[in-house]
Amino acid sequence: MELIVENLSCARGGVIVLEGVSFRLAAGRALVLRGPNGAGKTTLLRTIAGLQPAEGGAISLPPDSIAYAAHADGLKPTLTARENLTFWADIYGRGIGDTLDRMNLAGLADRPAMNLSAGQKRRLGLARLLVAGRPVWLLDEPTVSLDAEAVALFAGVVQGHLAAGGMALVATHINLGLEADVLDLSAFRARPRIAGGFDEAFA
């Protein structure tokens, strides 16, 4: 299995921000997206995830293969940690197994999500990846709000996913200690579109 992106163009707010993005991601491999704020990392991930249409190019991957972890944790505040995770596991037709233990949340299983710290909420949100059973993980700044210990914990989870034949496309500014290639999106920034003439600007 392989994720193939060819000559992809992506837009944000109706304006093309990336063009000509091409890469291949094989099973067991990770690719880290780099670039300054506003470079289009989130836009690229959302486009590959199917949350917005591409402006051009092609994305090839098996259907129902993506799990996307965005900036929002996607938690229901009045449900406990266990209930939140069970909700997502039921959507994917799976059980939660030892996921709470793997994300160091077992001791917080019965605590409502609204009473968790920012880092604990982030770990619970990321725990959805483990119950999704999807081979392609799209991770948008996954370590936000995590302390050094939790970052190391999550990096180990990603390593386990790769070792099992999964793939990870990660937008991050920190070093997760992964053996991964790096794709700098600065090279794919779209050139500004300039109007063809004075009258066109006022048409």
Side-chain angles (χ1 to χ4, degrees):
M1 183 176 60
E2 192 174 29
L3 167 60
I4 303 173
V5 172
E6 297 180 297
N7 202 32
L8 192 68
S9 295
C10 309
R12 179 175 57 235
V15 177
I16 295 179
V17 294
L18 292 171
E19 55 188 1
V21 180
S22 298
F23 64 85
R24 290 173 177 256
L25 185 59
R29 299 294 301 168
L31 179 64
V32 173
L33 302 177
R34 289 281 164 79
N37 292 337
K41 298 183 294 294
T42 295
T43 300
L44 176 61
L45 290 174
R46 286 179 53 84
T47 302
I48 295 173
L51 298 177
Q52 62 183 59
E55 297 296 319
I59 303 167
S60 176
L61 75 167
D64 298 325
S65 60
I66 287 177
Y68 177 45
H71 293 157
D73 295 320
L75 304 177
K76 296 183 180 297
T78 59
L79 297 184
T80 66
R82 179 184 288 108
E83 289 169 339
N84 266 285
L85 194 56
T86 299
F87 170 82
W88 286 104
D90 288 346
I91 288 177
Y92 294 111
R94 300 165 59 88
I96 66 172
D98 64 349
T99 301
L100 289 169
D101 285 312
R102 292 178 64 186
M103 296 301 291
N104 197 21
L105 291 166
L108 303 170
D110 297 317
R111 183 176 298 182
M114 61 185 174
N115 294 333
L116 298 176
S117 71
Q120 291 164 347
K121 290 177 182 176
R122 190 59 172 164
R123 276 187 281 136
L124 182 56
L126 293 171
R128 288 182 294 159
L129 297 165
L130 293 170
V131 301
R134 302 288 177 84
V136 183
W137 287 4
L138 306 181
L139 310 175
D140 195 356
E141 299 292 350
T143 59
V144 170
S145 300
L146 297 184
D147 59 23
E149 182 178 350
V151 169
L153 173 71
F154 180 66
V157 168
V158 177
Q159 290 278 22
H161 177 65
L162 300 177
M167 293 173 271
L169 183 60
V170 192
T172 181
H173 292 285
I174 72 167
N175 183 4
L176 291 175
L178 301 174
E179 183 181 337
D181 295 321
V182 174
L183 184 67
D184 189 341
L185 294 186
S186 300
F188 303 102
R189 292 294 297 270
R191 290 170 294 180
R193 270 44 174 184
I194 301 175
F198 179 88
D199 291 339
E200 181 179 338
F202 290 89

